[in-house]
Amino acid sequence: MEKAERRWIVNISHWNPSEDHFLSLVSFLPSHERSAINRFIRFEDRKRAFVSRLLQYTLVHDVFGIPIDKILIKRTVEGKPYLKNSEGAFFPNFNFNASHHGNYVGIASEPSYLVGFDIVSDSTPNKESGLDFINNFSSHFTTLEWRDIMKTDNPFDLLATFCRYWSLKEAFVKAIGAGLGFGLHRLEFNHSNWTNISVCIDGEESRDWRFWHFELDQHHWASVARGRPTETRKSFNKTSSVVDFKEEDYWNELRLPDEGFTFWTVEELIRTAIREPCSC
């Protein structure tokens, strides 16, 4: 339990289990998680949901050593997950966030800071053009961000820039546990070729947040948001004893570089998680 920071990514594009094998794997999880997975109609969506849940339970087991069938993961009314087990008190601010889109499922955790994580794929629904698709979301961006998105005539670059901004905005919202009610237009991101990323919230630059952005491949991007624990929503504060830092300690820690991701295959994740019978 010496360290609780994790950055894990799984590529599910080559994982094609049979329906029967998939159902046997899902049965390993608690009943409420099975119900959440089975609500999805498309098999691809059920696969993503399963790997997301399995990542969450495997991460908590890896950090705290709690047997997987004893882990109690709950969610706030806005959907931010949290650990209910008393072992979580070892890291009072411990929190994690999972995301899945396209070919990837991932998770990020932090022992001290708020963490938000988001994956975005450039796939568009119903073969809609990239420009038509992103025009549906123009109200979620500031003038500066929209100008940056629209400055190219290359449709791939246009969609890629949109996805990059979107993943940053979602990572922030997921970190604070705000849910769908937070207006993404309130956030304006500035960057230098997607490094040295900063955010203005309601027009004011915030020094309480750091962001990291990654290109997973030519069609997928991911962002990690890391911020002050007191910035979270009240519903998440009620789930744990939020501990703030001295100003000097806070900035020394926040300036540390992000360690990057560990990549798993689905088979590796399953072997790691399902090593013992589950009584759930």
Side-chain angles (χ1 to χ4, degrees):
M1 246 194 305
E2 293 180 359
K3 194 173 182 182
E5 180 182 319
R6 301 288 187 277
R7 305 285 189 269
W8 293 349
I9 291 276
V10 181
N11 186 334
I12 67 167
S13 61
H14 301 296
W15 185 51
N16 298 298
S18 67
E19 283 275 6
D20 288 343
H21 181 49
F22 181 75
L23 288 173
S24 71
L25 293 172
V26 172
S27 69
F28 173 77
L29 294 172
S31 59
H32 69 281
E33 301 287 18
R34 297 196 296 267
S35 299
I37 293 167
N38 290 328
R39 279 200 295 267
F40 290 97
I41 304 300
R42 297 174 64 247
F43 187 46
E44 288 300 310
D45 293 330
R46 295 204 301 275
K47 282 167 50 177
R48 293 185 190 97
F50 165 72
V51 173
S52 174
R53 265 67 175 189
L54 198 59
L55 273 174
Q56 294 172 52
Y57 283 84
T58 305
L59 184 147
V60 170
H61 172 72
D62 190 56
V63 171
F64 295 99
I66 307 170
I68 285 182
D69 62 340
K70 304 299 183 185
I71 293 171
L72 301 174
I73 294 176
K74 303 294 183 180
R75 287 169 179 79
T76 66
V77 69
E78 296 90 356
K80 187 172 176 70
Y82 63 92
L83 181 63
K84 188 73 172 175
N85 299 75
S86 59
E87 288 88 343
F90 189 86
F91 296 115
N93 295 349
F94 176 75
N95 68 123
F96 57 93
N97 200 235
S99 180
H100 54 82
H101 200 196
N103 294 338
Y104 292 93
V105 185
I107 193 168
S109 68
E110 281 285 334
S112 303
Y113 296 91
L114 291 178
V115 66
F117 174 62
D118 194 63
I119 298 172
V120 177
S121 163
D122 65 3
S123 60
T124 57
N126 302 319
K127 298 183 179 179
E128 190 175 15
S129 76
L131 182 57
D132 289 341
F133 174 72
I134 70 169
N135 276 332
N136 297 322
F137 301 93
S138 61
S139 62
H140 298 294
F141 296 88
T142 67
T143 301
L144 180 69
E145 292 170 335
W146 194 249
R147 187 184 304 128
D148 192 29
I149 293 169
M150 301 300 291
K151 70 182 180 184
T152 179
D153 293 327
N154 184 312
F156 171 76
D157 291 341
L158 183 147
L159 191 54
T161 305
F162 165 84
C163 290
R164 289 176 185 271
Y165 276 118
W166 191 265
S167 71
L168 285 166
K169 288 173 180 277
E170 285 291 325
F172 174 88
V173 171
K174 291 164 78 172
I176 65 173
L180 298 175
F182 190 96
L184 297 180
H185 63 282
R186 297 173 56 191
L187 307 173
E188 179 172 274
F189 285 92
N190 297 276
H191 62 90
S192 175
N193 196 24
W194 303 105
T195 62
N196 299 319
I197 301 168
S198 62
V199 66
C200 291
I201 306 171
D202 296 327
E204 286 192 29
E205 183 174 359
S206 174
R207 299 180 70 248
D208 290 331
W209 291 89
R210 288 288 305 278
F211 298 89
W212 292 266
H213 185 74
F214 308 87
E215 181 177 297
L216 301 177
D217 61 29
Q218 286 188 326
H219 300 285
H220 297 80
W221 298 266
S223 294
V224 174
R226 197 165 176 243
R228 196 162 199 146
T230 52
E231 295 292 303
T232 190
R233 302 284 112 163
K234 291 181 180 179
S235 58
F236 185 73
N237 284 345
K238 293 177 182 178
T239 69
S240 60
S241 302
V242 175
V243 178
D244 201 9
F245 305 93
K246 295 179 181 177
E247 204 68 25
E248 181 180 354
D249 294 340
Y250 175 78
W251 279 107
N252 287 339
E253 281 283 329
L254 198 60
R255 280 196 294 263
L256 292 176
D258 201 72
E259 294 188 355
F261 287 93
T262 299
F263 284 80
W264 298 61
T265 65
V266 181
E267 291 78 11
E268 287 171 338
L269 178 63
I270 291 170
R271 283 197 299 270
T272 300
I274 307 179
R275 287 183 296 190
E276 54 183 298
C278 177
S279 60
C280 42

